[in-house]
Amino acid sequence: MKKLAARRRSPLALMVLLLLGLTMTGTAYAALQPKADPGTSAATSSVDDIAAGEALFQANCASCHGSNAQGGVEADSIESPGPSLIGVGAASVDFQVATGRMPLNAPGVQAPENRMNLKFTDEEITQLAAYVDSLGAGPAVPDEQWLDLEGADIAEGGRIFRTNCAMCHNSSGTGGALTRGKYAPSLMNVDEQHIYEAMLTGPQSMPVFNDNNITPQEKEDVIAFLKDVEDGGNAYGGNSMGSLGPAGDAAFVWTLGIGLLIAAAVWLGRKAA
Amino acid sequence: MTDQNLPAEHSSDANLPAHANEALPERFEDPGLPPHIPRRADVDEKAAKRAELQVVALFTLSVVGTLVFLVAYFLIDIDARAYVIGIGEISLYHVVLGLSMAASMGGIGFGAVHWAKTLMPDTEIVEERHPQASPQEDRDGAAAILRSGWQGSQLGRRPMILQSAGVAMGLFSIPLVVQVAGSLGPLPGEELYDTNWRRGLRLMIDPSGTPIKASDVTLGSVFHVMPEGFIGEPAHENLTAEEEMKAKAEDQVILVRLDPSDVKSQKQLDWGVDGIVAYSKVCTHVGCPVALYEQQTHHLLCPCHQSTFDMTEDCKVIFGPAKRALPQLPITIDDEGYLVADDSFREPVGPSFWERG
């Protein structure tokens, strides 16, 4: 230990510390990164489901969305009331609840994804979806046929993604900033079903991409493209550094790259012991 | 050149603290170089041997790196993947080529520097500067040569030669300037005022090239649109790659349906169909595609410089460096119920230019 302490002023110590810090940050992030949860499939619903869903709704959602899901009213206790849920469909409920966005932790500009802390089981989500769907027809939870990615065209998916999605979600699907603190979330490690439902229902700031705009087959292509990126389909060089584009690359070069060059210059200029 | 291993008393003088009662010297004396300290390898044969081995090891590392590079270049499958801790799945080929090339070049570099620093002589050497001016007689000689040249040219007596030569040289530069100006290409003419949009052209989904029925455009949805014939199969067949690219740069349009009660501009409703409105997607700042549509706020955001346009107010600029609203494309419905352009854009799309102001 004494030997180590004696070397703490060495210029190498800074480099070692920097390297350790970077490595540990990366490892910690990889370890703590939320993992995908299996989606639900609200294909069939019975009267019982609807009744159970209504009970869940009254207990957990009605304070913001109104007791008949007609949308909340502004009050002292609720600053930003929830929108009407009539006609949003089962797909919307499954997306919002199964990704942990709803129930919202606190009112804000963004409903952040919160898969680590889901409030409901798959069955309860199915019941909630059945209840909301019974209020007015809306997009249903997608068919397994469009989620299995069999025969999907990754290249076509990429073309559609770059035209319709890349401007907000980044060309590698890693997300990006919107106005006034809102952001488009990363699409990495998102369940196929939830990507499909997001396109279909247009949650929060995202616009709707209905089946006439992007057909179910094209939606499957887009999902296949995202899964290919997730599996490293685009990673040929080395660390993608979050695929954030030139800003990330520049930060890396300016800190680590130029840091290494300065270290090399210092080493060159120092006399040997 | 003088080899200066400074005497000890010289340097110890410089290290003494200055006393208040001592008069300052007339000039500061040159403190000279710090004393030379021999390196470990200079005095210890064992250390020198160790340094030698280190240099040899670094050069050997370079040899190994080069050999690995060559072997990897031919043997590794270009599609092979490797898992690297902290990075994830990446191409094995590129990782091995990169690391072996780093060893190959780095081994030579580090070896050479380590060799120079530990084993080569490191005594400080000072080369005295000599006066920069030439001796006076050389300078007089040079001036005499110039003077006799000026007299020999007779320009002092015959000024017409100087003047005509000046005119000739001046004109001679014009062909060069003309070539440079000429190679800047033709003036854009009317091109900047016009796009490929024409009355009756259908709005087609980008990139599939399918036409759009008004009923397809549900509330909250957004379509990225190109003119009929400039997207999809017909474009691939009839247009060159450059023409396709140019069409995409100037004709791209964003199509949304707004609740008519939200819309604040009557002109905007008149140019649309039941609240369906089409706007040029080319930012009026420097031409990036403005495509970040927030369906709740109806804001269109440009990703390049954060210019923000309000779609409910005729795409007026509400934030950022853009100065003009996005141009609206007048649309209507054809006999078969598909959305078509009612006219071309009525103002130039994209960034402002000189003549437009």
Side-chain angles (χ1 to χ4, degrees), chain B residues 202-223:
Chain B
R202 276 181 180 163
L203 277 66
M204 300 296 212
I205 295 177
D206 180 15
S208 63
T210 38
I212 308 163
K213 283 213 159 82
S215 57
D216 295 347
V217 190
T218 48
L219 210 59
S221 62
V222 53
F223 284 66

Side-chain angles (χ1 to χ4, degrees), chain A residues 26-27 83 109 156 159-160 163-165 167-168 177-180 182 201-210 212-214 218 231-240 266-273, chain B residues 36 39-41 78-79 81 86-87 89-91 94-95 110 113-114 117-118 122 124 205-208 215-224 248 281 291-297 299 301 303 308 318:
Chain A
T27 320
V109 288
E156 181 64 15
R159 271 192 287 278
I160 294 162
T163 305
N164 291 288
C165 326
M167 55 291 238
C168 297
L178 294 174
T179 61
R180 303 182 186 198
K182 296 187 286 283
T201 61
Q204 278 85 28
S205 292
M206 179 167 161
V208 177
F209 296 93
N210 62 37
N212 297 315
N213 188 355
I214 300 180
E218 288 173 336
D231 294 340
N234 278 353
Y236 278 98
N239 196 332
S240 61
V266 168
W267 177 63
L268 278 170
R270 275 169 79 93
K271 288 191 169 201
Chain B
H36 177 72
R39 296 163 300 182
R40 215 175 296 155
I78 197 155
D79 290 325
R81 316 288 293 171
I87 297 181
E89 286 260 314
I90 49 174
S91 159
H94 288 155
V95 169
F110 282 102
V113 173
H114 194 58
K117 284 178 61 160
T118 54
D122 77 331
E124 295 79 7
I205 295 177
D206 180 15
S208 63
S215 57
D216 295 347
V217 190
T218 48
L219 210 59
S221 62
V222 53
F223 284 66
H224 298 277
K248 199 130 195 189
K281 216 164 79 178
L292 284 74
Y293 175 59
E294 295 178 6
Q295 63 126 336
Q296 286 178 326
T297 55
H299 289 171
L301 172 68
T308 310
I318 54 169

Side-chain angles (χ1 to χ4, degrees), chain A residues 153-175:
Chain A
D153 185 344
I154 294 175
E156 181 64 15
R159 271 192 287 278
I160 294 162
F161 185 85
R162 282 187 290 277
T163 305
N164 291 288
C165 326
M167 55 291 238
C168 297
H169 287 287
N170 174 322
S171 55
S172 305
T174 53

Side-chain angles (χ1 to χ4, degrees), chain A residues 19 33 64 104 113 161 180 222 238 257 269:
Chain A
L19 202 69
Q33 206 178 15
C64 294
L104 201 55
E113 178 209 37
F161 185 85
R180 303 182 186 198
V222 168

